[in-house]
Amino acid sequence: MSEVKLTRLSHGGGCGCKIAPALLQEILGEAKQKLSFPDLLVGTETSDDAAVYRLNDHQAVIATTDFFMPIVDDPFDFGRIAATNALSDVYAMGGTPIMALAIVGMPIDKLQPDTIRRILQGGEAVCRDAGIPIAGGHSIDAPEPIYGLAALGIVHPDHVKKNNAARDGDVLILGKGLGIGVLAAAMKKELLSEAGYAQMIATTTQLNRVGSQLAAMPAVHALTDVTGFGLLGHLLEICRGSALGAEVYFNQVPLLSEALPLVRQGIVAGAIARNLASYGHEVDFAPGLAEWQRQLLADPQTSGGLLAAVAPEAAAEVLACFHAAGCAQAAVIGKLHAGAARVAVG
């Protein structure tokens, strides 16, 4: 059996595989209503990052699952990216991961056993870095390669960071630069440089462990991570859940340097158009914004950065936490205000 490129075996890759936001809302329908379980602190009602269930007055368990098709061809890197992305949902709730289970679907007639083993080893490497075991999992023979984790974490019930608790006047802090979808699209077209690939891997395999530290900070009112729906899509989830409007200052948004020349050339992820079609009517773009700037704000991020809504007086302290955790590009990108759940970009 000759080796094949992983990305050639799938119709999408990374968090760009997500079902479009508008279609997902149509599919879920009333399933997103609040369920009558008093200890279920976070369910499906606000499209938050993970479920949270209170065990007692001091402990709550966080449960999440995340998996996707290959975003890169290197099997070890694919495993690392998928695992980092899955654990991000635990950190986005303010939690600390404790264990994971592997989700594996592979076309066993197309991939060599060693390739599949390397994918799993990549996931195991990330979990070791996070200090947790992959304690089991489930595998199937599938037409396209799929890998991810079901991750569990713990958090104090009073420290859960939801996406619907932002407040009027909060500033918005983004932890990683945008542009992963653009880099992935360039890789598929064989136009990505070595430097671009290195930046892509460094960003997508960086754990958002700063979320565990932010949990104990009362000034951090809301938290989510930016993934397949792009910055605008996940910010709109905060706005809808918190009944607030938002302003984003494009010149303050961190961007991946290797993605800039590519997006200006028109190399973009297909999911950008899908994202904008789903929520573009809820965004007011300044007339002077170029098309490539709008596209980056809707670019599907795989293992993207945390997005925090923070009391303005604590912005410097929270930024310092991000920077100390290795999120060098973390920056204040805007603010929240009273008003309709819309985003204005200037």
Side-chain angles (χ1 to χ4, degrees):
M1 186 188 306
S2 60
E3 193 56 72
V4 296
K5 289 188 175 182
L6 291 176
T7 55
R8 299 289 174 86
L9 295 176
S10 59
H11 71 281
C15 287
C17 298
K18 279 189 172 183
I19 295 174
L23 179 57
L24 183 61
Q25 177 63 38
E26 181 182 345
I27 292 170
L28 292 176
E30 295 182 358
K32 294 181 69 174
Q33 294 181 355
K34 178 71 175 178
L35 300 177
S36 57
F37 294 91
D39 288 318
L40 182 63
L41 303 182
V42 181
T44 61
E45 58 277 0
T46 63
S47 302
D48 220 323
D49 297 292
V52 183
Y53 193 91
R54 178 171 47 214
L55 299 177
N56 52 54
D57 290 343
H58 305 286
Q59 291 178 311
V61 63
I62 301 170
T64 184
T65 182
D66 213 315
F67 53 90
F68 46 61
M69 291 165 280
I71 188 173
V72 294
D73 291 314
D74 183 277
F76 188 76
D77 285 344
F78 170 40
R80 293 169 67 206
I81 294 168
T84 306
N85 181 75
L87 294 181
S88 182
D89 287 340
V90 174
Y91 293 124
M93 302 307 301
T96 300
I98 57 171
M99 184 178 71
L101 304 174
I103 299 167
V104 183
M106 295 291 157
I108 58 174
D109 60 331
K110 297 183 179 71
L111 291 178
Q112 297 177 6
D114 184 61
T115 298
I116 300 172
R117 186 181 306 114
R118 289 290 290 164
I119 294 171
L120 272 58
Q121 288 171 342
E124 291 164 358
V126 164
C127 287
R128 279 197 304 272
D129 185 28
I132 66 168
I134 295 182
H138 186 64
S139 61
I140 62 168
D141 183 1
E144 297 181 275
I146 296 171
Y147 178 70
L149 300 176
L152 297 176
I154 55 172
V155 65
H156 192 288
D158 295 339
H159 294 168
V160 176
K161 298 300 181 184
K162 303 178 183 180
N163 68 354
N164 67 344
R167 301 180 189 177
D168 180 12
D170 280 353
V171 298
L172 295 165
I173 295 177
L174 179 62
K176 293 183 183 181
L178 303 180
I180 291 299
V182 171
L183 296 178
M187 196 202 74
K188 274 205 164 187
K189 296 176 183 293
E190 299 184 348
L191 297 173
L192 187 63
S193 66
E194 289 186 12
Y197 185 81
Q199 188 176 61
M200 179 181 176
I201 298 303
T203 300
T204 55
T205 59
Q206 181 181 27
L207 288 165
N208 281 324
R209 62 174 95 236
V210 66
S212 302
Q213 183 179 354
L214 300 179
M217 301 177 68
V220 178
H221 299 146
L223 197 61
T224 191
D225 63 348
V226 178
T227 54
F229 299 157
L231 171 62
L232 292 176
H234 294 285
L235 175 54
L236 278 166
E237 289 176 340
I238 290 178
C239 290
R240 296 186 200 110
S242 306
L244 295 170
E247 295 178 25
V248 171
Y249 315 123
F250 186 85
N251 63 354
Q252 294 178 205
V253 176
L255 306 173
L256 296 177
S257 59
E258 295 293 328
L260 287 175
L262 296 167
V263 70
R264 287 184 174 125
Q265 296 170 39
I267 299 171
V268 296
I272 290 176
R274 177 205 69 184
N275 283 342
L276 288 173
S278 292
Y279 55 65
H281 61 286
E282 299 175 88
V283 181
D284 301 311
F285 291 105
L289 278 181
E291 181 65 18
W292 67 266
Q293 293 174 307
R294 302 183 187 208
Q295 290 171 327
L296 276 175
L297 295 174
D299 186 51
Q301 303 305 286
T302 297
S303 191
L306 295 181
L307 177 63
V310 180
E313 64 272 16
E317 181 185 3
V318 173
L319 265 180
C321 290
F322 272 97
H323 294 156
C327 300
Q329 284 195 280
V332 173
I333 65 165
K335 64 180 181 181
L336 292 159
H337 56 78
R342 300 183 61 82
V343 177
V345 183

